[in-house]
Amino acid sequence: MQIIRRSNTKWFVTAIASHAVAATLLVLAPVGSTSAQSLDGEGSTSVCPPLVSTCPYDISHPAWFAGSLVSNFVQIPNPTEPNSLAPSPTRPDTNLYLVGNIGSTPLDPEQTIPDGSVVPDHDVVWSVYPTTIYNGFGYWVVPGSMASSDTVRTRPQRADSLAGAPLAYQIRFGQQWFDLNNATIILIGVQTGQLRLVELGYGGAGWFIPMQHQD
């Protein structure tokens, strides 16, 4: 993978690991490609329309938005096409928060990448409702300087985890614990110092659609 970060509105490459890691910002595991060939639409079979699951995508998996599960769709950078490794300047950017698994089973299970580092178990939380396809930038959510076992709950993490610290999955305000499946709760935790964000970088372009209600 090439992790691309933002600095003074200029793009630059800060790490090279494996193509699989780029996907961790937005994806769970391959469910089958529908032949997304480019992130910019140039050379793609089509440009992804918003809120539609039948346009080209590489990977689909569940994620969180505002406390609810959604179906996430992702186009990931193509390492054989250098022009596809950068975010598209024609698309808006959004932050995606990678938290400890909310339920007993992570939506994105642990992966070991070629350099020996580990992508820890995690869930992905969207910060916006996608009215179009977005460039996605990932941030690990870990305990902040004001965190304690009484205010932040974390999942166990291996020492070689890319997150660099255990991922938080619940935070306490007053007498109540809240799951970190909502970007607003995450950002409040950052403001109070109970949580801290660790930048991971660009992971592809994506969008989601709400899951249909099932009895």
Side-chain angles (χ1 to χ4, degrees), residues 24 60 64 77 93 98 120 132 136 153 165 198:
T24 65
S60 176
W64 295 99
D93 299 339
L98 282 63
T132 184
R153 289 174 175 167
V198 178

Side-chain angles (χ1 to χ4, degrees), residues 6 25-26 50-51 63-73 91-98 124-137 139 181-187 204-210:
R6 293 172 286 185
L25 304 184
L26 289 171
L51 310 181
W64 295 99
F65 173 71
S68 296
L69 283 170
V70 296
S71 296
N72 198 37
F73 299 90
R91 289 175 173 156
D93 299 339
T94 191
N95 293 337
L96 299 166
Y97 301 113
L98 282 63
V124 174
V125 181
W126 275 77
S127 58
V128 296
Y129 191 94
T131 55
T132 184
I133 187 170
Y134 280 80
N135 297 315
F137 292 82
Y139 291 84
N181 55 9
N182 185 318
T184 299
I185 293 175
I186 292 170
L187 293 177
W207 72 103
F208 69 75
I209 60 174

Side-chain angles (χ1 to χ4, degrees), residues 158-184:
R158 291 171 43 165
D160 49 3
S161 165
L162 281 177
L167 294 180
Y169 72 97
Q170 282 187 334
I171 190 170
R172 182 177 177 178
F173 298 118
Q175 299 301 312
Q176 187 172 351
W177 287 94
F178 294 86
D179 290 338
L180 297 182
N181 55 9
N182 185 318
T184 299

